[in-house]
Amino acid sequence: MTTQLMDLEAQLETLRQEAQDEIATAGTLERLEELRVSYLGKKGQLSKILGSMGKLDPADRPRIGALANEVKEAIQTNLEEKRTALQAAQIQARLQSETLDVTMPGVYRPQGRVHPLNGMIDRALDIFAGLGYTVATGPEMETDYYNFEALNTPPDHPARDMQDTFYLPDGNLLRTHTSSVQIRYMEKHKPPVRIVAPGRVYRRDTVDATHAAVFHQIELLAVGEGLTFNDLKGTIKEFLRQMFGEVPVRFRASYFPFTEPSAEVDVQWKGKWLEVLGCGMVDPNVFKAVGYDPEKYTGFAAGFGVERFAMVLHQIDDIRRVYGSDLRFLKQF
Ligand code: DAH
């Protein structure tokens, strides 16, 4: 055995040992890669040793070649095992740091919901939309003309006492009902008319369990040729059926200045007759005020209080509750 041969063998063995030790202490994948390059890279230590094989006796070369392969494979195995171990440790560390406590209570986000009065309005408008009506609106501050005069209610008319009015210093007023929208709409549109007008109205009422100074109404108006009281009844009954279900409904003769004949409508609900709306055939004087020919057109109108409906439907005992902000109450609808 030549000294060169022994020398190379010793170098390879040393390399194998050194690599094994260094790889064993590598703490990161980056460090491991450095070691791979340093031992097995093109210009690495193993290549260097093999580079000197040229000086060997050709007879000795296979032996060194075999040993070199063995060392190379050993280093590769060391590297591979260490890589696997480091990757596993990395995953373990991540799992540790990103642990999710699935039993932790979540962040509570209260869900908003539609206010019972708006819900009521939406339902009613939906029903009328299904019957072919479109929505119209008008101002809350009105003139005497739209709120009373054009609705066949002149200044000395006793019906004005039915609705205590808030008058404004400039002579205008806060509308006492949504019937004013009838006039505003008819002034601008020719028949046929099919509208519903939801909105806020104002009365100088003493506030108690069933009265508010500000409340909501929905107005209904249909005008055309040949509309009769039967059409009114059918429309109102269908609306009430969709609202309350199959409950007894009765029409009572009543009086409103802007309708003739007029009726009030009651539904039997939880064993009691409850008044839910007013209605009637549009008075010819109302048509005259907006320039419709009363000989040619007939129509019907109705108006109802949204709060009243909500109270009947949901059995709310005090109207003031629906204006409060008590979520325990509002959440129930
Ligand atoms: N405007 C009436 C009120 O506030 C309700 C009403 C009755 C409206 C009869 C109408 C109607 O359109 O035909 O008491």
Side-chain angles (χ1 to χ4, degrees), residues 21-317:
D21 293 346
E22 275 200 301
I23 289 168
T25 59
T28 64
L29 288 166
E30 291 72 32
R31 173 69 186 140
L32 202 62
E33 178 59 11
E34 276 171 28
L35 292 174
R36 188 190 64 77
V37 172
S38 148
Y39 285 104
L40 305 180
K42 262 199 202 128
K43 295 177 183 162
Q45 301 179 54
L46 186 66
S47 290
K48 256 182 219 143
I49 296 173
L50 292 180
S52 56
M53 265 174 71
K55 296 174 200 148
L56 277 181
D57 186 334
D60 290 336
R61 282 181 199 163
R63 196 169 143 176
I64 287 300
L67 179 61
N69 266 337
E70 201 187 303
V71 169
K72 185 179 171 187
E73 273 164 28
I75 295 174
Q76 269 170 345
T77 307
N78 285 339
L79 284 168
E80 210 39 62
E81 284 171 3
K82 188 67 180 183
R83 169 169 295 115
T84 310
L86 283 174
Q87 277 169 346
Q90 212 174 45
I91 289 169
Q92 207 50 47
R94 252 184 83 179
L95 284 175
Q96 210 80 69
S97 70
E98 291 175 7
T99 299
L100 249 189
D101 181 357
V102 293
T103 65
M104 226 161 79
V107 181
Y108 174 62
R109 287 174 204 278
Q111 260 230 308
R113 67 183 72 211
V114 176
H115 189 278
L117 285 182
N118 283 328
M120 205 71 223
I121 293 172
D122 288 349
R123 259 183 77 184
L125 296 185
D126 258 11
I127 294 171
F128 285 118
L131 296 174
Y133 288 73
T134 55
V135 175
T137 54
E140 290 173 24
M141 186 179 81
E142 265 302 2
T143 61
D144 186 90
Y145 179 77
Y146 287 104
N147 197 79
F148 291 122
E149 191 109 31
L151 286 161
N152 196 31
T153 320
D156 57 349
H157 199 286
R160 289 203 179 202
D161 295 342
M162 285 161 70
Q163 303 177 353
D164 272 326
T165 310
F166 281 115
Y167 286 95
L168 300 169
D170 63 2
N172 287 325
L173 50 83
L174 297 176
R175 68 178 178 194
T176 58
H177 52 189
T178 44
S179 302
S180 52
V181 183
Q182 291 189 27
I183 305 300
R184 287 192 175 270
Y185 188 87
M186 286 190 285
E187 275 185 347
K188 292 208 178 76
H189 301 84
K190 295 263 146 277
V193 172
R194 298 280 188 280
I195 55 156
V196 270
R200 209 175 283 153
V201 301
Y202 302 81
R203 304 242 177 124
R204 269 177 54 187
D205 271 331
T206 307
V207 175
D208 62 22
T210 54
H211 293 85
V214 183
F215 57 101
H216 301 78
Q217 285 188 336
I218 297 180
E219 192 80 12
L220 172 96
L221 176 67
V223 181
E225 287 180 58
L227 287 180
T228 67
F229 198 86
N230 248 345
D231 298 312
L232 165 62
K233 271 183 99 171
T235 304
I236 297 297
K237 278 186 169 172
E238 177 55 17
F239 167 64
L240 293 175
R241 192 187 64 78
Q242 291 196 39
M243 214 51 167
F244 291 92
E246 306 291 344
V247 295
V249 172
R250 79 181 174 198
F251 286 69
R252 266 185 298 110
S254 184
Y255 173 79
F256 298 101
F258 31 88
T259 45
E260 180 58 35
S262 305
E264 279 174 307
V265 181
D266 305 332
V267 293
Q268 202 173 47
W269 189 247
K270 312 279 170 202
K272 277 192 209 152
W273 284 105
L274 298 169
E275 183 195 319
V276 289
L277 58 83
C279 60
M281 299 306 289
V282 178
D283 193 290
N285 285 335
V286 173
F287 284 152
K288 281 183 203 152
V290 297
Y292 282 11
D293 179 359
E295 297 298 325
K296 189 171 175 197
Y297 298 110
T298 55
F300 58 82
F304 59 88
V306 178
E307 282 79 353
R308 174 106 188 115
F309 259 70
M311 286 174 80
V312 169
L313 215 54
H314 301 306
Q315 293 160 79
I316 298 167
D317 56 352

Side-chain angles (χ1 to χ4, degrees), residues 310-330:
M311 286 174 80
V312 169
L313 215 54
H314 301 306
Q315 293 160 79
I316 298 167
D317 56 352
D318 192 325
I319 196 172
R320 287 165 290 194
R321 286 185 190 279
V322 297
Y323 303 120
S325 306
D326 188 343
L327 289 178
R328 292 170 307 177
F329 171 77
L330 295 174

